[in-house]
Amino acid sequence: MNVEIMWAEYNKECLGFDSYINEHGFVLYRIENDQCFIQDLYIKKDSRGKELFRTLVDVVVEAAKKHKCNRLVSQINVANATSSASISMHTKYGMKLVSAHNNVLLFLKEI
């Protein structure tokens, strides 16, 4: 069994997250009722700046639509070193900032 498959199985079984992994990064997400929550998204340093956020999130949106979700939700901790880039990617994808509390920004997109 390769490491990516084992890691994906662990996230699903132990943490309740689905995942999509490719050679550039990964995204963890959870579907609840009519909402899909992006838990974590990572793009390898040498792959950044190549519109890969869109590629990863599009896979999540397709999965969400299959489960009849109508909202995509994500949060960003502004204390993270990459938060400025994350905010930019979220807004370019059409996600709207809906709330801010302490160091956490909440983004939403109707899908």
Side-chain angles (χ1 to χ4, degrees), residues 5-42:
I5 292 172
M6 187 174 10
W7 186 75
E9 288 178 359
Y10 165 79
N11 279 300
K12 182 66 173 172
E13 181 181 334
C14 297
L15 304 176
F17 297 118
D18 287 301
S19 59
Y20 173 71
I21 304 166
N22 67 22
E23 66 274 13
H24 301 290
F26 68 85
V27 60
L28 298 176
Y29 62 97
R30 182 180 77 248
I31 294 173
E32 286 185 14
N33 302 317
D34 66 344
Q35 298 188 91
C36 180
F37 299 90
I38 295 175
Q39 175 63 29
D40 204 355
L41 187 144
Y42 175 76

Side-chain angles (χ1 to χ4, degrees), residues 4 11-12 19 26 29-30 36 39-40 44 46-48 50 53 60-63 69 75 84 88 90 102 107 109:
E4 288 87 5
N11 279 300
K12 182 66 173 172
S19 59
F26 68 85
Y29 62 97
R30 182 180 77 248
C36 180
Q39 175 63 29
D40 204 355
K44 292 184 344 183
D46 62 344
S47 295
R48 294 177 187 163
K50 300 175 182 172
F53 179 89
V60 172
V61 168
E62 287 308 310
C69 293
Q75 62 184 23
S84 293
S88 176
H90 279 70
N102 294 331
F107 286 83
K109 181 177 180 170

Side-chain angles (χ1 to χ4, degrees), residues 31-101:
I31 294 173
E32 286 185 14
N33 302 317
D34 66 344
Q35 298 188 91
C36 180
F37 299 90
I38 295 175
Q39 175 63 29
D40 204 355
L41 187 144
Y42 175 76
I43 299 170
K44 292 184 344 183
K45 202 172 209 174
D46 62 344
S47 295
R48 294 177 187 163
K50 300 175 182 172
E51 296 295 320
L52 294 168
F53 179 89
R54 178 171 298 283
T55 301
L56 293 170
V57 177
D58 282 349
V59 170
V60 172
V61 168
E62 287 308 310
K65 286 179 178 179
K66 287 179 184 173
H67 287 87
K68 309 233 185 296
C69 293
N70 59 22
R71 288 191 196 116
L72 181 65
V73 181
S74 182
Q75 62 184 23
I76 298 171
N77 185 329
V78 296
N80 290 343
T82 59
S83 65
S84 293
S86 295
I87 293 166
S88 176
M89 288 183 283
H90 279 70
T91 55
K92 283 181 185 176
Y93 195 77
M95 299 188 79
K96 305 289 186 214
L97 178 63
V98 293
S99 73
H101 184 67

